[in-house]
Amino acid sequence: MVFTGCDWNPFKKKASAETTASGSGDGAVLCSINGKPVINESDFLNNLNQMIQANQYFRGATAESLPKELQRKFFEQLVTQALIEAHANENNIEKHPAFIKAYQEADKQLKSALKVQVVEKEIYDGISVSDEEMSKHYNENKEKFVKVAGGVLAAGVRFDTDAAADAFLVKARQNIEAFETLAKAEKDGKFRDFGRVSKDSRGMQFEIVPAPIKEAVLAVPKAPYLEKVKAGKDFWIVKAWDKKNTELFELAEVKPHIEGMLKSNKFKDVLDARLKDIRSKMNVSVNESFFNSKEPVAEKGEDDAPSAAHAVAEAA
């Protein structure tokens, strides 16, 4: 169950999976079957590293960094695979009709996928993005390339009455550095930490900041700031401090990222144009009758579920 997140990709170092059962790798022999080496150290590490790359729970880890118990569990899977393959070899499984059929189908699918992959890669590699395009995109979206988030740290205490807010404001001004401690201890008020508030803030944390408090905090000319702010029926004593300007990435720092993104954006249009050209030079015949409905479709009432064809069209 530890490895249920693994995925399989026939284009990822297929050779290493083949060498697992043949023991053709380097390093110490870790497993032999009937005296024949089937798993060497390099086979094990190669397969383990592929598992790490494919499984989101292990991203950033290395084969050597995994606990020995976890390495041993994965190794047992390789031993099981090697046992099954050894049994298959002894029983001439490659001559079995089911194996031959499955192998031929897999070989056909793999060749087809590789042909498409190579052609699409050639098209993608042929797409160019000019410096002008990258500069234009950067300047139009500069605020999205945030290196260090700016804004003002803010926190507040909510009161139901103006008098209670004023009383706490007097107390807080006498010791502004102890604002959070005083706020949390205040029985008549409810403390809330707003985090760093800025005009570029996104997400739930920013959305829970009442609009009048956002405006007051962002308008702070100098921190620390401690004032009363009315928001709807509530009275808030708000403290703002540690005001920082947002620092953005320079174009040179994000140029590779922008280039890759713009190439990907162009790819679909370029691919569609190329496919249109390829199609125009070939005789493509489609058996449309296969897709025509052979049964009359009943009229759908208001409460009827949508048809399969409608569902497919919606998905498209």
Side-chain angles (χ1 to χ4, degrees), residues 15 42 71 194 219 227 299 303:
S42 64
Q71 292 185 29
F194 297 121
E227 290 294 341
E299 292 186 7
D303 298 327

Side-chain angles (χ1 to χ4, degrees), residues 129-146:
V129 179
S130 68
D131 287 341
E132 290 75 15
E133 289 176 295
M134 287 186 275
S135 295
K136 182 175 182 292
H137 179 85
Y138 174 79
N139 290 325
E140 290 177 352
N141 301 275
K142 189 180 291 187
E143 71 282 353
K144 295 180 182 179
F145 298 102
V146 177

Side-chain angles (χ1 to χ4, degrees), residues 14-189:
K14 189 182 177 188
S16 67
E18 293 172 346
T19 59
T20 298
S22 66
S24 61
D26 300 322
V29 175
L30 302 184
C31 178
S32 298
I33 296 178
N34 295 333
K36 180 182 177 182
V38 291
I39 305 176
N40 289 309
E41 186 177 359
S42 64
D43 301 327
F44 171 64
L45 293 176
N46 285 339
N47 280 273
L48 185 54
N49 278 317
Q50 286 185 52
M51 181 278 293
I52 290 171
Q53 292 171 13
N55 194 306
Q56 60 177 342
Y57 298 107
F58 298 109
R59 293 280 164 83
T62 61
E64 294 78 8
S65 69
L66 294 182
K68 289 296 182 183
E69 309 89 83
L70 199 56
Q71 292 185 29
R72 189 70 175 80
K73 286 183 180 180
F74 179 74
F75 178 72
E76 280 302 321
Q77 292 192 355
L78 298 182
V79 172
T80 299
Q81 178 183 323
L83 276 171
I84 294 173
E85 187 171 352
H87 170 77
N89 291 337
E90 286 184 354
N91 289 273
N92 295 316
I93 199 69
E94 292 186 24
K95 295 181 180 179
H96 194 288
F99 174 87
I100 294 172
K101 181 181 178 181
Y103 183 84
Q104 290 174 341
E105 290 177 352
D107 182 61
K108 180 181 177 181
Q109 292 174 4
L110 179 59
K111 283 182 179 179
S112 176
L114 282 172
K115 289 173 184 177
V116 171
Q117 180 182 337
V118 170
V119 171
E120 288 187 344
K121 186 177 185 303
E122 287 180 346
I123 293 173
Y124 181 82
D125 290 344
I127 297 173
S128 60
V129 179
S130 68
D131 287 341
E132 290 75 15
E133 289 176 295
M134 287 186 275
S135 295
K136 182 175 182 292
H137 179 85
Y138 174 79
N139 290 325
E140 290 177 352
N141 301 275
K142 189 180 291 187
E143 71 282 353
K144 295 180 182 179
F145 298 102
V146 177
K147 191 173 189 177
V148 178
V152 184
L153 289 176
V157 192
R158 179 176 60 81
F159 294 92
D160 295 328
T161 66
D162 192 10
D166 285 339
F168 179 79
L169 179 59
V170 172
K171 189 194 314 182
R173 278 178 172 164
Q174 294 174 356
N175 190 359
I176 191 171
E177 295 301 323
F179 176 82
E180 185 172 341
T181 302
L182 294 172
K184 289 180 177 180
E186 181 59 44
K187 295 180 180 179
D188 295 329

Side-chain angles (χ1 to χ4, degrees), residues 242-274:
D242 194 32
K243 186 175 183 179
K244 291 182 179 179
N245 293 325
T246 300
E247 184 181 345
L248 303 176
F249 283 102
E250 296 294 333
L251 174 59
E253 296 177 280
V254 293
K255 212 170 184 180
H257 166 77
I258 294 175
E259 182 181 19
M261 185 184 65
L262 293 181
K263 280 185 71 170
S264 297
N265 291 344
K266 285 185 175 185
F267 176 70
K268 185 181 183 303
D269 292 336
V270 174
L271 178 63
D272 288 346
R274 183 70 178 275

Side-chain angles (χ1 to χ4, degrees), residues 293-307:
S293 175
K294 297 180 177 62
E295 297 179 1
V297 180
E299 292 186 7
K300 189 182 73 168
E302 291 183 2
D303 298 327
D304 291 342
S307 67

